[in-house]
Amino acid sequence: MTLLDPRTIYLITSVMYLSMPAVVYLALRYHRSTPVIAWTVGGGLFGIGLLLIGLRGIIADVISFEVAIFLIIVGNGLRVEALRRELGQPSTLGRITLAYSLGWLVYAVLRNIAAIDAKVSFCWAALVIAAGFIQIALLATTLYRRQALRTAIWLAAAYYPIAALLIARVIEVMVTSSPAGPLEDRKSTRLNSSHANISYAVFCLKKK
């Protein structure tokens, strides 16, 4: 039995995702590098996406579905770019944007074709988001290996489980009668990833 319903958890998590990037940005006012800006903006967009999901059934569907998923996917893309820049890798923002935009476009098409079960669009969106989490975790692991930053491995430890939860949720939805949609999922809705922004804040501060 959960103390909070999924909608409330989404709303609380969205507030954390919106406030933490702001805290990071203010705390690093003398060290606002491109990676820091990309990470904080990405985290903010991700938080807005979660907020819109939490408002499903209250606001227009196109905003709480298509717009929400778009913001979450773009938020992940910006955080991937932030870690790549921190590693000194060449920018792939254009390719990341294209790939993630195509992922979102497929979701939007699937969701608006009446003949396709809602489970299909839900599972596709979950897999695209999970792919972003895995990219973040892999880059954070690489950062840890190259620079021995303990907080980078904390970042990876925050995102690997969330990606695994999403993939497990997809499998559950596809092979059982479990309803599709984050607000119907009482088991895998968690606040586990909310400390990821704190971890990156500590990582940034430790570098300076």
Side-chain angles (χ1 to χ4, degrees):
M1 181 178 179
T2 57
L3 296 177
L4 297 174
D5 64 280
R7 183 188 301 277
T8 302
I9 293 176
Y10 266 90
L11 293 175
I12 291 173
T13 307
S14 71
V15 171
M16 297 178 77
Y17 257 103
L18 286 168
S19 61
M20 289 177 187
V23 170
V24 172
Y25 188 78
L26 292 173
L28 301 178
R29 60 187 180 277
Y30 299 118
H31 305 285
R32 289 173 182 166
S33 62
T34 298
V36 169
I37 293 173
W39 184 271
T40 53
V41 172
L45 293 177
F46 192 94
I48 295 172
L50 293 181
L51 175 64
L52 296 179
I53 288 177
L55 295 175
R56 283 182 182 175
I58 300 173
I59 61 177
D61 282 354
V62 68
I63 297 176
S64 62
F65 282 88
E66 282 86 353
V67 174
I69 297 300
F70 179 78
L71 292 175
I72 287 173
I73 290 174
V74 170
N76 272 350
L78 284 174
R79 288 182 291 179
V80 167
E81 177 68 10
L83 291 177
R84 286 183 60 84
R85 290 292 188 92
E86 193 62 45
L87 283 165
Q89 297 178 358
S91 174
T92 57
L93 186 58
R95 282 184 288 173
I96 290 173
T97 301
L98 178 61
Y100 281 23
S101 295
L102 287 174
W104 172 81
L105 184 60
V106 171
Y107 163 76
V109 170
L110 291 174
R111 206 188 85 78
N112 287 281
I113 297 178
I116 296 180
D117 193 307
K119 287 186 175 184
V120 177
S121 60
F122 168 79
C123 290
W124 175 262
L127 289 174
V128 173
I129 294 168
F133 288 162
I134 291 171
Q135 279 188 290
I136 291 170
L138 288 172
L139 287 167
T141 302
T142 302
L143 193 59
Y144 170 73
R145 289 173 178 168
R146 290 188 184 178
Q147 301 185 16
L149 287 172
R150 201 174 301 172
T151 45
I153 205 63
W154 295 350
L155 191 65
Y159 280 97
Y160 279 128
I162 299 302
L165 275 174
L166 275 177
I167 294 170
R169 174 66 174 146
V170 168
I171 295 171
E172 179 187 27
V173 168
M174 294 304 293
V175 302
T176 71
S177 58
S178 177
L183 298 186
E184 287 77 29
D185 178 20
R186 290 182 174 273
K187 290 185 289 185
S188 64
T189 301
R190 298 290 185 266
L191 293 174
N192 292 351
S193 63
S194 63
H195 68 284
N197 285 295
I198 297 177
S199 178
Y200 192 73
V202 175
F203 153 68
C204 291
L205 288 167
K206 190 172 181 178
K207 282 179 61 62
K208 306 305 177 183

